[in-house]
Amino acid sequence: MHIVQNVETPKSTRPALRLVRTRELSRDEWLEVRKRGIGSSDAGTAVGLNPYQSQLELWLIKTGRDGNLPKVDPNDETSPMYWGSLLEPIVAAHYTRRTGNRVRKINSVLQHPDADKSWMLANIDREVTGAHDVQILECKTAGEFGARLWRDGVPEYIVCQVQHQLAVTGKAAADVCVLICGQEIRIYRIERDDELIARLIALERQFWHYVETDTPPPADGSESAELALRCLYPQDSGNTLNLVDDTKMSATFADLVNLRADIANRTELESLLKQQIQQRMGDATTALFETGKVSWKRAKDSHAIDMTTLLCDQPDLTERYPLIKPGSRRFLITSN
């Protein structure tokens, strides 16, 4: 883990409080409850280790500014969330079959028992019963892309999630059972690490301070942060912000201009090298090299509608079937 900070080891191992029962909650009500604090699935994001979500996007959600964010449809069969929810009981059942450990659902949002950590919440997939060495089961599924994150064991953001659960519940160990590409089950044991938990709590507290003070955390360069910024500031006011005397931002602008020039030069060089290989290949489909290979294949013909000709033949279609696409803010650079 790369969370490094000098903090005291947490002393409390009291059992978690049951904040609210989830059996009768709708999905919208459950999502509202999650806004009261940092849940276990938020932990990796809160400390900046989630490859799928930025702190800024999570902040939008926790502060109720997520109205313009794309919403995941729980019934969308192309969504990893859909398959994760559908396969969770199957993963749990296979875990019991593999280990002999019996499990049960808790059906509650749990809360840290310490008053100064009441913002720490947790949803537990399953509680392990009757085992002396493990108390929590976290069920995961990973597709072709997600499986890459599991090549060296449990990804860091999942470790954060589990240590957060152990912190909230006061438990000693958890098993992570992951179904890889629908055909391979792996089980990993994660022991409670109080030093790691202490660092995790300190960093989560920093994030929660952003929420409590209504202060957006810094962007991190990710696609998630880009999306969050567009949702946070969808419209421009027409005003001009004079940052000439802001040395820090002026230096940031200069770095951006220089970097873009470097990228342009490298892109031009990339095109030259690619064309040299293509010219040498001629009509060959594949070329082999000492360190790899390239292919240059013709794709299958595709079929589409010639909209230009169609509108010439039937110009009234534009008025009969209007479609207005909302505009978005463009970021254009002009250097002196």
Side-chain angles (χ1 to χ4, degrees), residues 12-311:
S12 174
T13 55
R14 291 183 294 150
L17 304 176
R18 293 181 182 248
L19 179 63
V20 62
R21 295 192 176 276
T22 57
R23 188 184 295 274
E24 305 299 330
L25 286 184
S26 68
R27 176 173 172 79
D28 288 341
E29 290 172 330
W30 175 72
L31 291 174
E32 282 300 315
V33 171
R34 290 190 59 186
K35 291 182 179 180
R36 300 186 197 177
I38 299 176
S40 50
S41 59
D42 301 324
T45 302
V47 302
L49 291 177
N50 189 341
Y52 300 109
Q53 189 180 50
S54 64
Q55 289 181 320
L56 190 56
E57 183 179 347
L58 181 62
W59 178 84
L60 287 182
I61 295 170
K62 297 301 180 183
T63 59
R65 291 179 170 87
D66 57 329
N68 291 327
L69 286 175
K71 298 295 186 295
V72 177
D73 181 359
N75 298 315
D76 179 7
E77 295 183 8
T78 65
S79 165
M81 180 181 294
Y82 171 86
W83 290 105
S85 298
L86 186 68
L87 294 172
E88 180 184 307
I90 297 175
V91 174
H94 199 90
Y95 167 81
T96 295
R97 179 181 178 184
R98 175 79 66 85
T99 65
N101 293 335
R102 300 182 64 181
V103 298
R104 66 183 179 190
K105 298 193 71 172
I106 295 181
N107 296 316
S108 292
V109 175
L110 305 180
Q111 183 181 40
H112 199 291
D114 293 352
D116 69 329
K117 303 180 189 68
S118 59
W119 45 268
M120 292 186 71
L121 310 178
N123 284 92
I124 308 299
D125 285 344
R126 298 290 189 279
E127 180 182 31
V128 181
T129 61
H132 69 279
D133 56 344
V134 64
Q135 300 82 35
I136 293 174
L137 171 65
E138 181 64 28
C139 300
K140 296 295 182 186
T141 56
E144 182 179 0
F145 175 77
R148 304 172 190 174
L149 300 177
W150 293 82
R151 284 182 298 191
D152 299 320
V154 183
E156 286 184 324
Y157 76 102
I158 303 296
V159 173
C160 290
Q161 177 181 358
V162 173
Q163 291 291 349
H164 180 105
Q165 292 172 346
L166 296 174
V168 171
T169 61
K171 302 300 184 182
D175 278 342
V176 178
C177 185
V178 58
L179 176 62
I180 302 291
C181 296
Q183 60 185 23
E184 179 189 0
I185 282 285
R186 300 179 192 169
I187 299 174
Y188 300 92
R189 174 67 50 85
I190 296 182
E191 305 284 350
R192 181 186 180 96
D193 184 336
D194 282 329
E195 291 186 3
L196 176 56
I197 286 174
R199 297 194 297 271
L200 190 63
I201 290 174
L203 291 174
E204 287 186 22
R205 195 187 298 277
Q206 290 178 11
F207 173 80
W208 193 242
H209 182 69
Y210 287 129
V211 176
E212 291 180 319
T213 61
D214 205 34
T215 305
D220 58 11
S222 65
E223 291 185 11
S224 169
E226 173 80 14
L227 173 63
L229 286 171
R230 292 188 177 278
C231 290
L232 186 58
Y233 308 112
Q235 301 287 342
D236 60 291
S237 64
N239 297 330
T240 298
L241 184 63
N242 191 339
L243 299 176
V244 171
D245 295 329
D246 188 328
T247 55
K248 181 178 179 180
M249 292 309 301
S250 289
T252 299
F253 174 77
D255 288 343
L256 177 59
V257 171
N258 292 334
L259 182 60
R260 286 204 167 189
D262 184 51
I263 291 174
N265 292 334
R266 290 176 179 271
T267 300
E268 185 177 345
L269 176 59
E270 178 196 22
S271 296
L272 173 61
L273 298 176
K274 182 182 73 172
Q275 291 166 15
Q276 288 175 347
I277 293 175
Q278 288 174 322
Q279 192 168 19
R280 181 65 179 83
M281 288 178 68
D283 60 1
T285 302
T286 305
L288 304 178
F289 304 94
E290 182 181 358
T291 55
K293 66 179 181 179
V294 298
S295 64
W296 191 16
K297 295 181 180 180
R298 177 184 172 88
K300 293 182 179 180
D301 293 341
S302 60
H303 298 276
I305 297 176
D306 184 348
M307 294 301 299
T308 301
T309 304
L310 177 63
L311 291 176

